[in-house]
């Protein structure tokens, strides 16, 4: 035997022995855990799975949804959180009593920007902590491989519709959190009494489907703007919006004044967008985080045109915090930031209805989709843990609201873990522990730039558009309300306006059918009355004839 053949066979034998040994160790570990109380509680053998399979599934799920930590914190911090005018740095003045102007929150201001940066750190911890609590509760009580986190859609609605960018809306952040708390409590009551399915039927099917698509467009629109995304779209005094990605802007209006389509951060964000799309095309796990991470790593390089740490006092402060890498940050500003003093405003109750409606539909749709994908449903569409899962979802939202985040939802990214073989609550519990670990890396998560997050918002919006294929566009009564819903959400920058407009249009178009039905009923009743009168006349005439005879 030649030396080369001997070495090749030797390497093959060693490789086979190592693989066999690894497989035996894995099998021994799985068998030992399956026979314990934990294994029996989670029904590992009954659901034909194992601990290592659940671990692999949890890793896949976490990698596909870890982007929510940064994305959610960025969106919610755009509202300014609990920051006010008092946090602004006053302009230079010879007087010691100088105060900042009321519009300081909408312009670059060192004091206010530092406050928002602190809010973002709070929200990163709150997002991770609420996701951990929701995921572990779902796994422990419902025994389902479903991970929970603050949902996309409600966070954008709260940040840009209710509170407004940097507090420019009609509702304060504290009031918005009170709305989330009340809405979650109502949802919990609905879940306890089993009224969820009945309430969801009150909304026309076309509007329900269109709401998801409309919210997707709204989120994508946010991801294309400058403050929250890649900056492709900007304001225009004549056409309201226009193509931007410029290098110079008007400090007051934000409109481009030069260098359109020349922004280096936009082109870097586009690269991240393509990386994510390529990964999704090839069904690569963690494609979303790959796109965000690639752009973020480049943006962490100082002294470049795309750096998140510019050569300014604020950039230097950010960089010094970033270099810590590991730090435990306490939730301070957003913890318990709840106020019920403004509940006499009509906007509060509209927001409450909108969040409740979106929460019910999103949770119902996602849970049933995941249950069908995992093969948990029976012939009637029911599945084990269904009743508990709704209460876990609502209960997690209540906890999340006290920490300053929007309603917690079951994430569609749980499908990645289910495809990897996740079948029990162990998957969700392990995902929860991954979120726990992320709490200690706040300096890294808080340094992700908006042009790295914007592409992911656009992709999430694209994914949410797929529901429009289920709308009956040939039926005007179904198609027009759906179109109005989808159209109004991004164009009026309001999710609630889209829902109200769609429902209103459906009711208006239904009035015609009701009118025609009422008209036909009146004609039918008239014919019946005339028929009865003719019968009475005939009887009277017959009686008279008998009398004459």
């Amino acid at each position: 035997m030649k030396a080369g053949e001997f070495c090749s066979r030797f390497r093959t034998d060693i490789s086979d022995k190592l693989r066999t040994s690894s497989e035996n160790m894995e099998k021994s570990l799985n068998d030992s855990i399956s026979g314990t109380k934990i294994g029996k509680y989670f029904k590992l053998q009954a659901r034909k799975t194992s601990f290592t399979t659940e671990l692999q599934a949890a890793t896949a799920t976490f990698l596909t949804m870890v982007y929510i930590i940064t994305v959610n914190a960025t969106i919610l911090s755009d509202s300014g959180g609990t920051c006010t005018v008092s946090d602004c740095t006053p302009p230079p003045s010879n007087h010691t009593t100088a105060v900042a102007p009321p519009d300081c929150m909408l312009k670059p201001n060192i004091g206010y920007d530092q406050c928002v940066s602190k809010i973002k750190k709070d929200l990163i911890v709150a997002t991770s902590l609420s996701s951990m609590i929701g995921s572990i509760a779902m796994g422990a009580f419902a025994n389902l491989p479903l991970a929970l986190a603050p949902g996309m859609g409600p966070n954008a609605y709260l940040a840009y519709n209710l509170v407004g960018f940097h507090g420019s809306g009609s509702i304060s952040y504290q009031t918005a959190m009170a709305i989330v708390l009340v809405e979650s409590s109502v949802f919990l009551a609905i879940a306890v009494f089993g009224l969820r399915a009945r309430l969801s039927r009150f909304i026309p099917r076309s509007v329900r489907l269109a709401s998801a698509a409309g919210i997707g467009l709204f989120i994508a629109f946010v991801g294309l703007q400058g403050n929250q995304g890649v900056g492709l779209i900007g304001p225009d005094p004549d056409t309201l919006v226009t193509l931007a990605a410029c290098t110079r802007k008007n400090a007051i209006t934000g409109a481009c004044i030069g260098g359109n389509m020349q922004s280096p951060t936009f082109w870097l964000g586009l690269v991240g967008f393509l990386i994510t799309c390529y990964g999704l095309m090839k069904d690569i796990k963690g494609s979303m985080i790959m796109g965000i991470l690639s752009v973020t790593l480049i943006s962490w390089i100082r002294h470049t045109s795309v750096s998140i740490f510019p050569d300014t006092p604020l950039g230097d402060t950010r960089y010094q915090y970033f270099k810590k890498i590991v730090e435990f940050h306490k939730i301070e500003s957003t913890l318990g930031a709840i106020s019920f003093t403004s509940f006499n405003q009509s906007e509060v109750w509209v927001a409450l209805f909108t969040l409740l409606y979106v929460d019910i539909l999103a949770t119902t749709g996602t849970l049933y989709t995941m249950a069908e994908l995992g093969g948990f449903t029976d012939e009637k569409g029911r599945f084990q843990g269904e009743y508990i899962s709704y209460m876990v979802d609502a209960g997690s939202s209540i906890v999340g609201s006290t920490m300053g985040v929007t309603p917690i939802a079951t994430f569609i990214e749980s499908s990645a873990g289910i495809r990897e073989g996740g079948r029990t609550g162990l998957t969700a519990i392990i995902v929860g522990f991954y979120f726990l670990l992320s709490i200690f890396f706040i300096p890294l998560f808080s340094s992700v730039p908006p042009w790295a997050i914007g592409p992911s918002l656009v992709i999430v919006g694209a994914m949410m558009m797929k529901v429009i294929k289920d709308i009956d566009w040939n039926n005007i009564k179904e198609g027009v309300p759906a179109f109005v819903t989808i159209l109004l959400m991004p164009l009026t920058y309001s999710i609630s306006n889209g829902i109200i407009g769609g429902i209103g249009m459906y009711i208006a178009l239904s009035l015609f059918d009701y009118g025609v039905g009422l008209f036909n009923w009146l004609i039918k009743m008239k014919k019946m009355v005339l028929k009865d009168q003719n019968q009475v006349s005939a009887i009277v005439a017959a009686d008279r004839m008998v009398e004459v005879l």
Side-chain angles (χ1 to χ4, degrees):
M1 181 181 295
K2 296 181 179 180
E5 294 179 356
F6 175 78
C7 291
S8 176
R9 180 174 296 180
F10 179 76
R11 286 195 299 268
T12 302
D13 292 341
I14 293 296
S15 177
D16 290 341
K17 289 181 180 179
L18 289 175
R19 184 173 61 254
T20 302
S21 176
S22 176
E23 291 175 352
N24 290 335
M25 290 177 60
E26 180 179 341
K27 186 177 184 302
S28 176
L29 174 65
N30 290 329
D31 290 342
S32 61
I33 293 178
S34 296
T36 63
K37 292 182 179 180
I38 294 177
K40 293 178 181 179
Y41 176 81
F42 289 105
K43 304 178 181 179
L44 293 176
Q45 292 181 347
R47 297 189 180 180
K48 300 178 181 179
T49 184
S50 62
F51 173 76
T52 55
T53 300
E54 298 293 300
L55 177 62
Q56 181 179 348
T59 304
T61 297
F62 181 75
L63 287 176
T64 56
M65 65 179 293
V66 66
Y67 72 90
I68 194 60
I69 297 176
T70 306
V71 171
N72 185 64
T74 300
I75 290 176
L76 291 179
S77 63
D78 278 341
S79 69
T82 57
C83 298
T84 62
V85 176
S86 60
D87 295 299
C88 293
T89 301
S93 175
N94 294 327
H95 302 285
T96 57
T97 58
V99 294
D103 61 347
C104 66
M105 300 186 301
L106 303 177
K107 298 177 181 180
N109 184 283
I110 295 177
Y112 190 81
D113 290 343
Q114 289 178 343
C115 180
V116 171
S117 178
K118 182 179 179 182
I119 289 292
K120 184 176 180 179
K121 296 172 187 175
D122 284 358
L123 290 171
I124 288 174
V125 177
T127 301
S128 299
L129 195 58
S130 59
S131 302
M132 179 202 74
I133 293 172
S135 299
I136 291 178
M138 180 66 77
F141 299 118
N143 196 21
L144 292 172
L146 306 178
L148 279 69
M152 294 293 293
N155 54 4
Y157 173 63
L158 183 143
Y160 306 121
N161 292 165
L162 301 184
V163 184
F165 180 71
H166 285 189
S168 58
S170 59
I171 295 176
S172 69
Y173 183 82
Q174 292 87 338
T175 301
M177 286 299 106
I179 293 173
V180 174
L181 176 60
V182 174
E183 178 272 327
S184 303
S185 301
V186 173
F187 187 26
L188 178 60
I190 290 172
V192 170
F193 291 104
L195 302 175
R196 170 200 46 80
R198 295 181 182 179
L199 288 179
S200 63
R201 295 191 192 102
F202 281 107
I203 308 299
R205 180 176 180 273
S206 60
V207 176
R208 292 201 305 266
L209 296 172
S211 294
I215 292 173
L217 278 180
F218 182 87
I219 292 173
F221 187 50
V222 170
L224 291 174
Q225 295 179 55
N227 291 323
Q228 305 89 4
V230 295
L232 179 62
I233 295 176
D236 184 88
D238 299 320
T239 60
L240 300 183
V241 291
T242 186
L243 205 63
C246 48
T247 55
R248 290 182 295 135
K249 298 180 181 180
N250 186 305
I252 299 177
T253 64
C256 287
I257 56 178
N260 290 59
M261 297 304 296
Q262 296 180 25
S263 170
T265 55
F266 163 72
W267 292 107
L268 179 60
L270 180 60
V271 171
F273 178 79
L274 294 176
I275 291 174
T276 303
C277 287
Y278 290 147
L280 293 173
M281 287 168 55
K282 300 300 181 181
D283 199 22
I284 298 175
K285 299 178 183 65
S287 298
M288 196 84 75
I289 195 62
M290 286 172 56
I292 295 176
L293 189 60
S294 60
V295 174
T296 300
L297 290 176
I298 297 175
S299 300
W300 282 347
I301 302 174
R302 294 209 74 180
H303 314 301
T304 65
S305 58
V306 297
S307 178
I308 188 64
F309 311 115
D311 297 317
T312 62
L314 182 60
D316 294 338
T317 302
R318 288 177 179 173
Y319 186 66
Q320 293 303 320
Y321 182 71
F322 164 75
K323 288 194 300 184
K324 293 182 178 180
I325 299 178
V326 178
E327 182 192 62
F328 181 76
H329 179 84
K330 296 181 180 179
I331 306 176
E332 298 175 353
S333 301
T334 63
L335 184 63
I338 295 175
S339 174
F340 296 93
T341 57
S342 299
F343 263 58
N344 57 346
Q345 299 179 18
S346 59
E347 295 90 343
V348 170
W349 297 102
V350 172
L352 180 62
F353 168 78
T354 302
L355 282 175
L356 180 61
Y357 159 71
V358 172
D359 207 3
I360 290 176
L361 294 186
T363 302
T364 302
T366 304
L367 279 175
Y368 276 113
T369 300
M370 295 300 98
E372 290 177 358
L373 181 63
F376 304 134
T377 55
D378 56 21
E379 62 277 1
K380 295 182 180 180
R382 300 172 182 171
F383 57 92
Q384 291 183 0
E386 177 182 6
Y387 179 72
I388 298 296
S389 62
Y390 286 107
M391 289 191 287
V392 168
D393 191 288
S396 301
S397 297
I398 293 175
V399 175
S401 66
T402 62
M403 293 186 285
V405 295
T406 44
I408 310 300
T410 302
F411 260 55
I412 198 72
E413 282 80 0
S414 300
S415 59
I418 292 176
R419 290 192 181 97
E420 288 295 317
R423 292 294 181 272
T424 75
L426 270 179
T427 295
I429 291 176
I430 296 172
V431 170
F433 280 111
Y434 281 144
F435 275 114
L436 175 63
L437 291 176
S438 67
I439 294 176
F440 299 96
F441 297 93
I442 304 304
L444 299 182
F445 283 113
S446 63
S447 301
V448 178
W451 51 88
I453 297 171
S456 65
L457 297 181
V458 176
I459 292 173
V460 169
M463 292 177 173
M464 295 178 71
M465 289 296 295
K466 63 184 179 180
V467 297
I468 63 174
K469 64 181 176 57
D470 298 322
I471 299 173
D472 185 7
W473 295 105
N474 294 320
N475 186 343
I476 295 298
K477 184 180 175 181
E478 297 289 329
V480 171
F483 180 73
V484 169
T485 302
I486 295 173
L487 189 68
L488 289 181
M489 286 187 182
L491 293 188
T492 65
Y493 218 67
S494 172
I495 294 173
S496 58
N497 284 350
I499 295 173
I500 294 172
I503 295 175
M505 182 57 65
Y506 186 88
I507 293 174
L509 295 180
S510 298
L511 290 177
F512 177 79
D513 292 336
Y514 292 141
V516 171
L518 178 61
F519 181 74
N520 291 333
W521 180 79
L522 291 175
I523 292 177
K524 183 178 180 181
M525 292 299 296
K526 181 179 179 181
K527 290 180 178 179
M528 291 178 62
V529 171
L530 291 175
K531 183 179 179 181
D532 291 340
Q533 290 177 347
N534 292 335
Q535 289 179 348
V536 171
S537 299
I539 293 173
V540 171
D543 291 340
R544 290 178 179 176
M545 184 65 70
V546 171
E547 291 177 359
V548 171
L549 293 175

